[in-house]
Amino acid sequence: MTITLIPPSNRSISSRRRRSPIPLLLPMNTASFWPVAAVKAAAAFPTPSFSPVFDFSSNSLSSEPVAKLGLGSQLPYRMAVHPSGDGVLCAFPNSCRFFDWDEVKDNEGHKLGLKPSKKVLAQLEDVGQQLALAFNSDSSVLAVGGEDGNLRVFKWPSMEIILNEAQAHASLKDLCFSPDGKFLVSLGQRDRGRVWDVTSSTAVASLPKENDEIFAACRFSQRSDQTKVLYIVAITDKGASIVTWNTSLWKRVSSKHVSREPVSSFNVSPDGKLLAMGMTQGDVLLVNSTNLCVKTIIRKAHLGIVTALAFSHDSRALVSASMDSSARVTLIEDNKSAAGGSSMQIIILIIILAIAAYFLKDGVLPFLG
């Protein structure tokens, strides 16, 4: 198994699928797009390969690797990038390992690679398969959730244990920290969600399901008025809904059915305006976070299950990855620009019609002589 880093190139964006025998693709570090988003999007799902990753500094794609890190027969099943840029945490079938970024200077400039870290995570050896990994926003806390339902929370980088709950869930599915790092939400395979106070290391709330719901994914967000909100994707036999939760009382605020198709991945834009949903049939949906109405549907963005989604830091682009061995970048349209362009087209049309009406009134059209 190999982790491969992809450099920028001068090739333009193409919708054509490219395939390679490389299982994981990591992007170069660029000023506008730190590897966090793209690594999450190409997160280590057990697929044979991923397509090239987009580089936002050059608006281009590249498929030629600049670095490889062989892992033998080990398969990284989940990945989490340290938000401050120290490296990448990988979950293997029975343990977790950390890899450092390795910046190499040569005649072509700087190249970013990965190398095994000297940091040994003894607390995460022989712990079984971990299905969820998450750092808080300031990189000071790490949470990992296992297939066996064990939730572990550590101070980073000391790995001092904060919380070790063996029966957090029957099997842990997803984790997310609140923007201020005070709370951690955990979702189980089929049970209710739980809210943990990281400071006191205690469970402070339970997030009950309704009817036959299955909680699939969770993300915190902060709106423009500084209000914090928790979004949970709920799956039923009717499809997918987005449930909004108040983060003070931990009560449901609203729930809206969004798609008849189950959701396989979920994320929230950094500016809090959009929710991204990856579907099992390969579509990607962009949802307005205020009214929970679908804004854009990218039909057949992938040929298979969309396994991961990540926004760029400026919320102008979305990276998606799929079980079909592809990664794709969607540039998000600026509504103001789009509205401005539409208004200009309308103005031009009105002017043309006015000119035509003037000449028709005189019974003569200039281009007819």
Short mmCIF file of all heavy atoms in Angstrom, two decimals, residues 207 210 223 227-232 242-256 289-290 292:
data_model
loop_
_atom_site.label_atom_id
_atom_site.label_comp_id
_atom_site.label_asym_id
_atom_site.label_seq_id
_atom_site.Cartn_x
_atom_site.Cartn_y
_atom_site.Cartn_z
N LEU A 207 -28.99 12.79 22.11
CA LEU A 207 -29.71 13.29 20.94
C LEU A 207 -30.60 12.17 20.40
O LEU A 207 -30.15 11.31 19.64
CB LEU A 207 -28.71 13.75 19.87
CG LEU A 207 -27.65 14.76 20.34
CD1 LEU A 207 -26.67 15.07 19.22
CD2 LEU A 207 -28.30 16.04 20.86
N GLU A 210 -35.98 9.89 16.00
CA GLU A 210 -37.43 9.79 15.87
C GLU A 210 -37.79 8.72 14.86
O GLU A 210 -37.13 8.58 13.82
CB GLU A 210 -38.02 11.14 15.44
CG GLU A 210 -37.91 12.23 16.50
CD GLU A 210 -38.61 13.51 16.10
OE1 GLU A 210 -39.10 13.58 14.95
OE2 GLU A 210 -38.65 14.45 16.92
N ARG A 223 -23.08 30.37 12.48
CA ARG A 223 -23.70 31.27 11.52
C ARG A 223 -23.15 32.68 11.65
O ARG A 223 -22.39 32.99 12.56
CB ARG A 223 -25.22 31.26 11.73
CG ARG A 223 -25.86 29.92 11.37
CD ARG A 223 -27.32 29.87 11.70
NE ARG A 223 -27.94 28.64 11.19
CZ ARG A 223 -29.15 28.23 11.51
NH1 ARG A 223 -29.89 28.95 12.36
NH2 ARG A 223 -29.65 27.12 11.00
N THR A 227 -24.36 32.42 16.11
CA THR A 227 -25.13 31.31 16.67
C THR A 227 -24.52 29.99 16.23
O THR A 227 -24.26 29.79 15.05
CB THR A 227 -26.60 31.38 16.20
OG1 THR A 227 -27.17 32.62 16.59
CG2 THR A 227 -27.41 30.22 16.80
N LYS A 228 -24.30 29.10 17.19
CA LYS A 228 -23.76 27.78 16.87
C LYS A 228 -24.92 26.82 16.62
O LYS A 228 -25.93 26.85 17.31
CB LYS A 228 -22.87 27.27 18.01
CG LYS A 228 -21.62 28.11 18.24
CD LYS A 228 -20.79 27.53 19.37
CE LYS A 228 -19.53 28.36 19.60
NZ LYS A 228 -19.86 29.72 20.06
N VAL A 229 -24.74 25.97 15.64
CA VAL A 229 -25.78 25.02 15.29
C VAL A 229 -25.14 23.67 15.00
O VAL A 229 -24.00 23.59 14.55
CB VAL A 229 -26.59 25.52 14.06
CG1 VAL A 229 -25.68 25.67 12.84
CG2 VAL A 229 -27.74 24.60 13.74
N LEU A 230 -25.87 22.61 15.28
CA LEU A 230 -25.41 21.26 14.98
C LEU A 230 -26.33 20.67 13.93
O LEU A 230 -27.56 20.70 14.06
CB LEU A 230 -25.44 20.38 16.24
CG LEU A 230 -25.17 18.88 16.02
CD1 LEU A 230 -23.74 18.65 15.56
CD2 LEU A 230 -25.47 18.10 17.29
N TYR A 231 -25.74 20.15 12.85
CA TYR A 231 -26.49 19.47 11.81
C TYR A 231 -26.23 17.97 11.90
O TYR A 231 -25.08 17.54 12.03
CB TYR A 231 -26.08 19.96 10.42
CG TYR A 231 -26.32 21.43 10.17
CD1 TYR A 231 -25.26 22.34 10.22
CD2 TYR A 231 -27.59 21.91 9.86
CE1 TYR A 231 -25.47 23.69 9.97
CE2 TYR A 231 -27.81 23.27 9.62
CZ TYR A 231 -26.74 24.14 9.68
OH TYR A 231 -26.95 25.48 9.44
N ILE A 232 -27.30 17.19 11.83
CA ILE A 232 -27.15 15.74 11.77
C ILE A 232 -27.94 15.23 10.57
O ILE A 232 -29.10 15.61 10.36
CB ILE A 232 -27.67 15.06 13.06
CG1 ILE A 232 -26.75 15.40 14.24
CG2 ILE A 232 -27.76 13.55 12.89
CD1 ILE A 232 -27.13 14.71 15.54
N ILE A 242 -32.12 16.43 7.00
CA ILE A 242 -31.15 17.17 7.80
C ILE A 242 -31.86 17.66 9.05
O ILE A 242 -32.88 18.35 8.97
CB ILE A 242 -30.56 18.35 7.02
CG1 ILE A 242 -29.77 17.85 5.81
CG2 ILE A 242 -29.65 19.18 7.93
CD1 ILE A 242 -29.21 18.96 4.95
N VAL A 243 -31.33 17.29 10.21
CA VAL A 243 -31.91 17.69 11.48
C VAL A 243 -31.02 18.77 12.09
O VAL A 243 -29.80 18.60 12.18
CB VAL A 243 -32.02 16.50 12.45
CG1 VAL A 243 -32.70 16.93 13.74
CG2 VAL A 243 -32.78 15.35 11.79
N THR A 244 -31.63 19.88 12.49
CA THR A 244 -30.90 20.99 13.10
C THR A 244 -31.14 20.98 14.60
O THR A 244 -32.28 20.80 15.06
CB THR A 244 -31.37 22.33 12.51
OG1 THR A 244 -31.26 22.30 11.09
CG2 THR A 244 -30.52 23.48 13.03
N TRP A 245 -30.06 21.18 15.37
CA TRP A 245 -30.14 21.12 16.83
C TRP A 245 -29.66 22.42 17.46
O TRP A 245 -28.68 23.01 17.03
CB TRP A 245 -29.27 19.98 17.36
CG TRP A 245 -29.66 18.62 16.87
CD1 TRP A 245 -29.37 18.08 15.65
CD2 TRP A 245 -30.43 17.64 17.56
NE1 TRP A 245 -29.90 16.82 15.55
CE2 TRP A 245 -30.55 16.52 16.71
CE3 TRP A 245 -31.01 17.59 18.83
CZ2 TRP A 245 -31.24 15.37 17.07
CZ3 TRP A 245 -31.69 16.44 19.20
CH2 TRP A 245 -31.81 15.36 18.34
N ASN A 246 -30.38 22.83 18.48
CA ASN A 246 -29.95 23.94 19.32
C ASN A 246 -28.80 23.46 20.20
O ASN A 246 -28.89 22.41 20.83
CB ASN A 246 -31.13 24.41 20.19
CG ASN A 246 -30.75 25.51 21.15
OD1 ASN A 246 -29.99 25.31 22.09
ND2 ASN A 246 -31.31 26.69 20.93
N THR A 247 -27.70 24.21 20.26
CA THR A 247 -26.52 23.76 20.99
C THR A 247 -26.45 24.29 22.42
O THR A 247 -25.45 24.10 23.10
CB THR A 247 -25.24 24.16 20.24
OG1 THR A 247 -25.21 25.59 20.08
CG2 THR A 247 -25.19 23.50 18.87
N SER A 248 -27.52 24.94 22.87
CA SER A 248 -27.60 25.35 24.26
C SER A 248 -28.44 24.37 25.07
O SER A 248 -28.05 23.92 26.14
CB SER A 248 -28.21 26.76 24.38
OG SER A 248 -27.38 27.71 23.73
N LEU A 249 -29.61 24.02 24.51
CA LEU A 249 -30.51 23.09 25.18
C LEU A 249 -30.43 21.68 24.60
O LEU A 249 -31.00 20.75 25.16
CB LEU A 249 -31.96 23.60 25.07
CG LEU A 249 -32.21 25.00 25.63
CD1 LEU A 249 -33.64 25.44 25.33
CD2 LEU A 249 -31.94 25.04 27.12
N TRP A 250 -29.73 21.55 23.47
CA TRP A 250 -29.61 20.27 22.77
C TRP A 250 -30.98 19.70 22.43
O TRP A 250 -31.27 18.53 22.65
CB TRP A 250 -28.77 19.28 23.58
CG TRP A 250 -27.40 19.79 23.87
CD1 TRP A 250 -26.91 20.21 25.08
CD2 TRP A 250 -26.35 20.02 22.92
NE1 TRP A 250 -25.63 20.66 24.95
CE2 TRP A 250 -25.24 20.55 23.63
CE3 TRP A 250 -26.21 19.81 21.56
CZ2 TRP A 250 -24.04 20.88 23.02
CZ3 TRP A 250 -25.02 20.14 20.93
CH2 TRP A 250 -23.96 20.67 21.65
N LYS A 251 -31.82 20.57 21.86
CA LYS A 251 -33.14 20.17 21.39
C LYS A 251 -33.22 20.33 19.87
O LYS A 251 -32.55 21.17 19.28
CB LYS A 251 -34.21 21.05 22.04
CG LYS A 251 -34.24 21.00 23.56
CD LYS A 251 -34.64 19.63 24.07
CE LYS A 251 -34.76 19.63 25.59
NZ LYS A 251 -35.12 18.28 26.12
N ARG A 252 -34.06 19.51 19.28
CA ARG A 252 -34.30 19.65 17.84
C ARG A 252 -34.95 21.00 17.54
O ARG A 252 -35.89 21.41 18.21
CB ARG A 252 -35.23 18.55 17.34
CG ARG A 252 -34.59 17.19 17.19
CD ARG A 252 -35.60 16.23 16.59
NE ARG A 252 -35.02 14.90 16.45
CZ ARG A 252 -35.04 14.19 15.34
NH1 ARG A 252 -35.61 14.66 14.26
NH2 ARG A 252 -34.49 12.98 15.30
N VAL A 253 -34.41 21.65 16.50
CA VAL A 253 -35.00 22.90 16.05
C VAL A 253 -35.87 22.65 14.83
O VAL A 253 -36.99 23.14 14.72
CB VAL A 253 -33.91 23.94 15.72
CG1 VAL A 253 -34.52 25.22 15.16
CG2 VAL A 253 -33.08 24.26 16.96
N SER A 254 -35.34 21.87 13.91
CA SER A 254 -36.09 21.59 12.68
C SER A 254 -35.56 20.31 12.04
O SER A 254 -34.48 19.82 12.38
CB SER A 254 -35.96 22.75 11.69
OG SER A 254 -34.61 22.91 11.28
N SER A 255 -36.35 19.79 11.14
CA SER A 255 -35.95 18.62 10.36
C SER A 255 -36.58 18.75 8.98
O SER A 255 -37.77 19.05 8.87
CB SER A 255 -36.41 17.33 11.03
OG SER A 255 -36.07 16.20 10.23
N LYS A 256 -35.77 18.55 7.94
CA LYS A 256 -36.30 18.69 6.59
C LYS A 256 -35.80 17.58 5.70
O LYS A 256 -34.59 17.30 5.66
CB LYS A 256 -35.90 20.05 6.00
CG LYS A 256 -36.54 20.31 4.64
CD LYS A 256 -36.35 21.73 4.18
CE LYS A 256 -37.06 21.99 2.86
NZ LYS A 256 -36.93 23.38 2.42
N SER A 289 -27.89 26.42 4.08
CA SER A 289 -27.91 26.05 5.49
C SER A 289 -29.02 26.75 6.27
O SER A 289 -29.40 26.30 7.35
CB SER A 289 -26.56 26.37 6.14
OG SER A 289 -26.32 27.77 6.13
N THR A 290 -29.56 27.85 5.73
CA THR A 290 -30.59 28.60 6.44
C THR A 290 -31.97 27.96 6.29
O THR A 290 -32.66 27.70 7.27
CB THR A 290 -30.63 30.06 5.96
OG1 THR A 290 -29.34 30.65 6.15
CG2 THR A 290 -31.66 30.86 6.73
N LEU A 292 -32.48 25.10 4.38
CA LEU A 292 -32.30 23.67 4.09
C LEU A 292 -32.90 23.27 2.75
O LEU A 292 -33.32 22.12 2.55
CB LEU A 292 -32.88 22.80 5.21
CG LEU A 292 -32.28 23.01 6.60
CD1 LEU A 292 -32.90 22.05 7.60
CD2 LEU A 292 -30.77 22.83 6.57
#
